[in-house]
């Protein structure tokens, strides 16, 4: 683990300059119709037959009834569960192969060959809730603290649920890495600004939107144009200032809310980041298709009787227009009971289909092993993932893997 916090490194002084791309990224023809937008700016929807919506109280009553009738399952979190190891990061801007470190749940720290450092969906708190709840406390600890990261250039948020967006974590990132730039889906800009993030360090995007990013020295005296404070500092940062990236927001099938009255008022998204010849797709939190309430307990919903169910078309569109990707970070957990969770959360077989649809060359699993959010056994997702890979005829080791919390894995770039 890095012993120095990011604020103490010279390389941490680089700020992201975000601009419109020189050319519009490829996208499906219907993307411009904005079918996921409600009229009059009232929010967003999943515009596909693969999604089935729930009223919050109906879902709550359904889950409560499962507990009352004894159908609900309480996963055993007695240690040992997921191994937690001490992460080791590259110092400063050191290059090398594309490298991803899982920090628990949906949080990944990705080191690009260019020197770019990106933190996805960071939540470092013990409880993923607006109030302390014993049932929503971690059963595995964080492998490191925010202050142990070498530097953070970009923070990418998939949506505003508390297990993906944490106010205390965002404030800690601001303190440790005041230069960090935050990317989030539409509707989240005001939340970040009200949380104290400078507005010039927040970018919100709609699905299929992209932005160019270049790291440069800190702006002086409030100037928009970035200038190095001295020739020596210019020389020191000249190589680092060559760090560029293309960041894009892409669709996924989910919902958003931070309270009882703001459901789907802000957008949710998956993300692509390309830098230094490597391209990563971060799925965020997503479902793939909705199985019926009649689906038996423990049935993954992939028998012939379910073949007629529609799947979310967005993932094949992503693969066609923005793929292939060197690495996909794809959720594999929080999926039981299926009739409740399937519209919003992928099970491992869904995850493998998403992996194929998006044309990811390699993938790592996430969204499991940290909090008990659903009813499957805490160690079931990686077992089911192996079964799904075998069923699809995909090599089980080295293609779509899981790693210990805090562990890193390196990947070859496609170009």
């Amino acid at each position: 683990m890095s012993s120095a916090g990011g604020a103490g490194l010279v390389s941490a002084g680089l700020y992201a300059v975000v601009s419109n791309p020189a050319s519009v990224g490829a996208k499906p023809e219907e993307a411009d119709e904005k079918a996921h937008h409600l009229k009059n700016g009232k929010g967003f929807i999943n515009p596909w037959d693969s999604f089935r919506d729930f009223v919050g109280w109906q879902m709550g009553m359904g889950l409560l009834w499962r507990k009352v009738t004894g159908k609900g399952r309480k996963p055993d979190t007695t240690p040992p569960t997921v191994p937690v190891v001490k992460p080791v990061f590259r110092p400063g801007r050191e290059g090398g192969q594309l490298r991803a470190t899982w920090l628990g749940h949906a949080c990944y720290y990705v080191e690009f060959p260019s020197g770019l450092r990106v933190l996805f969906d960071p939540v470092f708190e013990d409880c993923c809730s607006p109030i302390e709840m014993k049932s929503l406390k971690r059963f595995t600890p964080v492998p490191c603290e925010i202050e142990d990261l070498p530097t953070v250039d970009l923070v990418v948020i998939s949506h505003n649920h508390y297990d993906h967006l944490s106010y205390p974590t965002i404030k800690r990132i601001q303190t440790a890495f005041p230069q960090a730039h935050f990317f989030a889906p539409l509707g989240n800009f005001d939340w970040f600004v009200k949380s104290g993030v400078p507005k010039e360090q927040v970018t919100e995007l709609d699905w299929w939107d992209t932005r160019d990013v270049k790291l440069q020295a800190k702006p002086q005296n409030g100037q928009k144009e970035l200038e190095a404070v001295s020739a020596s500092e210019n020389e020191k940062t000249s190589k680092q200032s060559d760090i560029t990236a293309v960041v894009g927001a892409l669709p996924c099938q989910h919902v958003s809310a931070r309270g009882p009255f703001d459901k789907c008022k802000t957008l949710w998204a998956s993300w692509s980041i390309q830098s230094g010849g490597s391209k990563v797709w971060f799925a965020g939190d997503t479902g793939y298709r909705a199985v019926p309430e009649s689906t038996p307990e423990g049935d993954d919903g992939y028998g012939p009787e379910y073949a007629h169910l529609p799947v979310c078309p967005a993932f094949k569109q992503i693969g066609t227009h923005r793929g292939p990707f060197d690495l996909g970070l794809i959720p594999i957990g929080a999926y039981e009971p299926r009739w409740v969770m399937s519209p919003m959360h992928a099970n491992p077989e869904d995850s493998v289909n998403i992996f194929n649809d998006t044309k990811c060359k390699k993938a790592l699993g996430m969204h499991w092993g940290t909090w008990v959010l659903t009813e499957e056994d805490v160690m079931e997702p990686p077992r089911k993932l192996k079964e799904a890979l075998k069923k699809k005829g995909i090599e089980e080791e080295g293609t779509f893997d899981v790693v210990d919390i805090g562990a890193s894995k390196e990947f070859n770039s496609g170009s």
Side-chain angles (χ1 to χ4, degrees):
M1 187 184 299
S2 173
S3 59
L9 296 176
V10 171
S11 61
L14 298 178
Y15 279 65
V17 180
V18 180
S19 60
N20 289 325
S23 59
V24 177
K27 57 186 177 180
E29 292 182 5
E30 65 267 26
D32 290 334
E33 297 174 7
K34 305 290 185 184
H36 58 293
H37 286 233
L38 290 173
K39 292 182 179 179
N40 302 317
K42 291 185 178 180
F44 305 91
I45 59 171
N46 292 285
W48 311 292
D49 293 339
S50 55
F51 182 75
R52 181 182 67 243
D53 203 1
F54 280 101
V55 177
W57 68 266
Q58 290 177 327
M59 181 187 296
M61 289 299 294
L63 294 174
L64 179 62
W65 181 248
R66 288 178 60 80
K67 290 183 179 180
V68 171
T69 59
K71 290 183 178 180
R73 290 171 287 171
K74 185 176 181 181
D76 181 9
T77 59
T78 305
T81 53
V82 187
V84 180
V85 301
K86 183 178 180 180
V88 177
F89 305 110
R90 292 176 182 150
R93 301 288 177 182
E94 185 178 304
Q97 289 184 310
L98 176 68
R99 193 167 184 266
T101 303
W102 187 36
L103 300 180
H105 199 53
C107 181
Y108 267 94
Y109 182 73
V110 178
E111 299 164 285
F112 284 83
S114 64
L116 183 74
R117 303 296 187 249
V118 182
L119 189 60
F120 293 93
D121 277 8
V123 178
F124 281 72
E125 275 58 61
D126 188 40
C127 186
C128 60
S129 169
I131 58 174
E132 286 290 320
M133 297 176 63
K134 185 178 180 180
S135 62
L136 289 177
K137 287 195 173 184
R138 289 177 180 267
F139 63 86
T140 50
V142 292
C144 67
E145 298 298 339
I146 290 168
E147 296 75 13
D148 295 318
L149 302 175
T151 191
V152 175
D153 300 310
L154 308 181
V155 179
V156 176
I157 303 297
S158 63
H159 67 296
N160 69 359
H161 283 160
Y162 283 88
D163 57 324
H164 295 258
L165 176 62
S166 161
Y167 174 79
T169 288
I170 297 303
K171 297 303 292 182
R172 287 174 62 190
I173 292 172
Q174 277 190 276
T175 300
F177 307 103
Q179 85 293 344
H181 195 98
F182 296 82
F183 280 88
L186 283 184
N188 289 288
F189 180 87
D190 287 346
W191 185 93
F192 282 95
V193 173
K194 289 176 182 176
S195 298
V197 180
K199 62 182 181 179
E200 62 272 16
Q201 288 175 228
V202 183
T203 298
E204 63 173 19
L205 297 180
D206 199 356
W207 292 349
W208 301 103
D209 285 349
T210 58
R211 292 293 183 271
D212 288 340
V213 175
K214 184 174 183 178
L215 299 191
Q216 294 188 2
K218 183 178 180 179
Q220 302 296 314
N221 303 319
Q223 296 177 9
K224 292 183 180 180
E225 294 297 325
L226 301 173
E227 300 175 354
V229 295
S230 66
S232 61
E233 185 130 340
N234 224 349
E235 183 179 349
K236 194 182 298 181
T237 61
S238 61
K239 186 175 181 181
Q240 297 167 352
S241 296
D242 292 335
I243 299 173
T244 62
V246 178
V247 178
L250 294 165
C252 63
Q253 182 170 292
H254 202 56
V255 293
S256 66
R258 286 181 77 80
F261 305 113
D262 65 341
K263 182 181 176 183
C264 298
K265 297 298 184 184
T266 63
L267 189 57
W268 47 96
S270 65
W271 292 85
S272 67
I273 298 187
Q274 185 171 4
S275 183
S278 292
K279 188 158 43 168
V280 173
W281 180 64
F282 175 70
D285 202 351
T286 187
Y288 186 63
R289 61 192 193 128
V291 303
E293 188 173 351
S294 59
T295 305
E297 294 285 321
D299 189 334
D300 287 338
Y302 271 98
E305 64 272 33
Y306 305 106
H308 66 286
L309 296 178
V311 303
C312 181
F315 301 109
K316 283 193 174 180
Q317 291 174 338
I318 290 169
T320 298
H321 296 285
R322 298 292 172 89
F325 300 93
D326 299 300
L327 173 63
L329 304 172
I330 300 176
I332 63 171
Y335 50 78
E336 289 287 355
R338 292 299 292 144
W339 67 270
V340 175
M341 297 298 169
S342 60
M344 300 165 291
H345 288 168
N347 71 357
E349 191 153 355
D350 293 333
S351 306
V352 173
N353 285 328
I354 291 170
F355 167 78
N356 283 333
D357 287 354
T358 52
K359 298 183 180 178
C360 292
K361 299 174 184 176
K362 304 289 183 180
L364 291 174
M366 63 177 188
H367 207 259
W368 74 284
T370 308
W371 292 287
V372 173
L373 302 176
T374 47
E375 294 184 5
E376 73 272 8
D377 292 341
V378 297
M379 296 302 293
E380 182 180 281
R383 294 198 303 267
K384 291 269 191 178
L385 177 62
K386 283 192 173 185
E387 293 172 6
L389 290 168
K390 185 176 181 180
K391 182 177 177 181
K392 294 287 184 181
I394 299 173
E395 188 175 344
E396 295 174 40
E397 298 294 333
T399 302
F400 191 158
D401 291 331
V402 295
V403 295
D404 297 340
I405 295 175
S408 303
K409 193 171 177 65
E410 294 187 347
F411 301 88
N412 292 321
S413 299
S415 60

